Amino acid sequence: MFYVGAESVNNLCRLLTAGICLAWMTAATASDSGLELMQDGSQLWEKSEAAEKDARDSLLRSNQLRKRISEYRKARNKTSKKSTRALLDSQIKDTIAEIRNLQSLGSQDRKSAQNLRAEAKALLSQGLVSIWQDWLYFTDAMHLEGKADGALHLQAANNTATRSDDPQLNEQTTPRSTAKSSDMSIAVVEAAMQQMPDEIDLGNVAISANANFIGHIERDQPAEKNHVPLNKIHQWRLVLADFSGRAVEAANIEFVGHMPGHVHGMPTQPRVTEVIAPGVYRISGVKFQMRGWWVIELNVEQESTGLTDTLRFNILL
Amino acid sequence: MRLSLGLLALSFISAADAETGGESWSQGDIRFLEQFSLSSLPTTTANRGNDWAYNDGAAKLGHQIFFDPGFSANRAVSCASCHRPSQYFTDARAVALGLGLGSRNTPSILLSGRSPWNYWDGRKDSLWAQALAPLENPNEHGFSRERVAQIIGDRYAESYQAVFGRIDPSAPNHHTEIFVNVGKALMAYQNKLRILPSKFDRFVDSHVNQEQQDKTELSVSESRGLRLFMGKAACVGCHNGPLFSNFEFHNVGVPEANVRSVDLGRYNGIELLRADEFNCLSRWSDADRGECEEMQFLKQQGAELVGAFKTPSLRNVAKTAPYMHSGQFTDLLTVLRHYNTPTPPFFDSKQHPSRPHFDILPLGLNDEELADIIAFLGTLTSPLPENDPWWVAPSAKNSR
């Protein structure tokens, strides 16, 4: 990951082709505040990664100490000498205390990393939306057509985590039951029997797995609000940038959608059909045949750098 | 505050008004159910590459052809042989019987033009392309496009030319062109077939219209069945919309009809569809390439295609036994018992390209609940129309 602030525009332009530079400069002058937001977000992201590394180190060290305790115990069981046993007992006690400290530290760092990541993502998202405001219609998350009026509710989904390889399902999750809205007496299955993470990020902005890219998705039809229809082919719009707010151009993008709770995919194979502007892509052929929790993965390959990374979005229909 | 209390009182009254047999429906319920009513079905749908899809002349010609057994090798098989109006255009058989025995259950053609896919495996992407296949299938009509063209020229020339223009025997692919137009006329005819509101539709519509006095109510068992359908039994997951189908493909683990020759369903359907000389992208389609979205974004890979079959509409389901793609289940109770305690799909590594994906979990329903769902499914039966000329053979219509 690298970070480039707004003040470095001119320096970087020397390294870029004229066309990209012009587009970038236009965006930069139109939205300096957006670039600043992304700069702040990028710095926070680096801090979050540092905190996460600290957390990992602490937890790794505590695991190593566990092994040491096991060795102390073996030695203690082998010896009949009282003084040696007492010494080993004392070492075990001290090590347990050290493990507790490390675990506590690791846990704090991890929490801190999570908070920093959330703050960083918020700033990066705001920056992205600000820079690309002329190309975006919606800031709200995509949701099922007709659901906003409370008349339609989550339905469908009928499977189990045991068959799913979705990483979000590795942790303990709660099976969803039927749910009623306040003005309905019919209990409609709400992702019934589908295992879902208790907390799920339904935002329309995602940061790629290795933090190379940031992407925003939305319905590519302003007249339709940000509604996803059921059983109907429609189009999406993707804005793809790096952490400095620069368009990711000429990217090869693979669109993979699946329902983790059902272990099946979409009924169509969507793909990019048009580059609307640098970093703005039209994706056609999107279709959902079921309500419930969907995961959309965009596997991105940036031709200019050879970087590959995956953006992951959750959608609850 | 007074106003909101008044509104609250009003909503209570309307819920109480809807009460019947211990069941009451809120305005939210009715708004939710409205999406399943026949009234929510658009009057027309995409023409799927058929410029004559809603042409009256084409529909009349298609009506004649549909009931004409002359379009078969033994002059005894017509479309109506398997698609019998009195049985909601099905044949009450496990698998179809034309000149020979088929391998799949005959689906109802009612409103089948609303689906992007035809056949259980979706190997056709329009009703006009679908209509052509039985004519040349040796187990069905056992006919040929040349003989179809000949009969059109001999007996239907006037009505055909009034719609499709002058027959030119010297034109290249002259037989295929007539053959294709016959398919388009058959589709236009099928687009004329309407169904009347069922008890479920009358129930929903009469509650949507709050002014209506004589409301249709569901029985206690039907109401419980409706709640189960939308809730615990999760039927609505795939059976949604006014036709109670998402028209997509799923493997629900129905027993294999012949384990020595397994039916790969959609997996094969995709190949047949792509190779079909009459698909949306073909020269015979009236659609622009951009209109053929399903073909352009066709899913061609995935374990979920193996042994998957199209979700059928549940309209008139109580009257269209037997069930499933090869008529494996004779009645609705057997179908529901399968969903209640499903078995994984048959798998033979020598025959299947991959282990079929399986999407069904036990529902834990008791016998009473199964009976309730069956009662609800019965409310989806439309009465047979008494005076709809499109539902009877043209000669019968003319004799009235």
Side-chain angles (χ1 to χ4, degrees), chain A residues 9 12 45 50 88 109 134 142 197 220 232 240 259 264 291:
Chain A
V9 166
L12 234 129
W45 189 270
L88 285 166
D109 281 340
D134 292 346
M142 285 195 281
D220 188 35
K232 188 177 165 192
L240 191 60
M259 290 189 94
H264 70 60
R291 292 180 175 139

Side-chain angles (χ1 to χ4, degrees), chain A residues 152 183 185 189 262 265 269 287, chain B residues 26 29 31 35 231 294 304:
Chain A
L152 298 179
D183 65 344
S185 74
V189 286
H262 280 247
Q269 179 52 65
K287 185 180 182 183
Chain B
S26 69
D29 292 336
R31 277 202 310 277
Q35 64 179 305
E294 293 285 359
E304 66 263 47

Side-chain angles (χ1 to χ4, degrees), chain B residues 27 60 95 113 119 175 223 227 259 269 294 300 308-309 378 390:
Chain B
Q27 293 303 317
K60 283 180 189 161
V95 292
Y119 283 117
H175 293 126
S223 301
R227 291 179 189 280
V259 293
E294 293 285 359
Q300 296 178 26
F309 295 91
W390 298 106

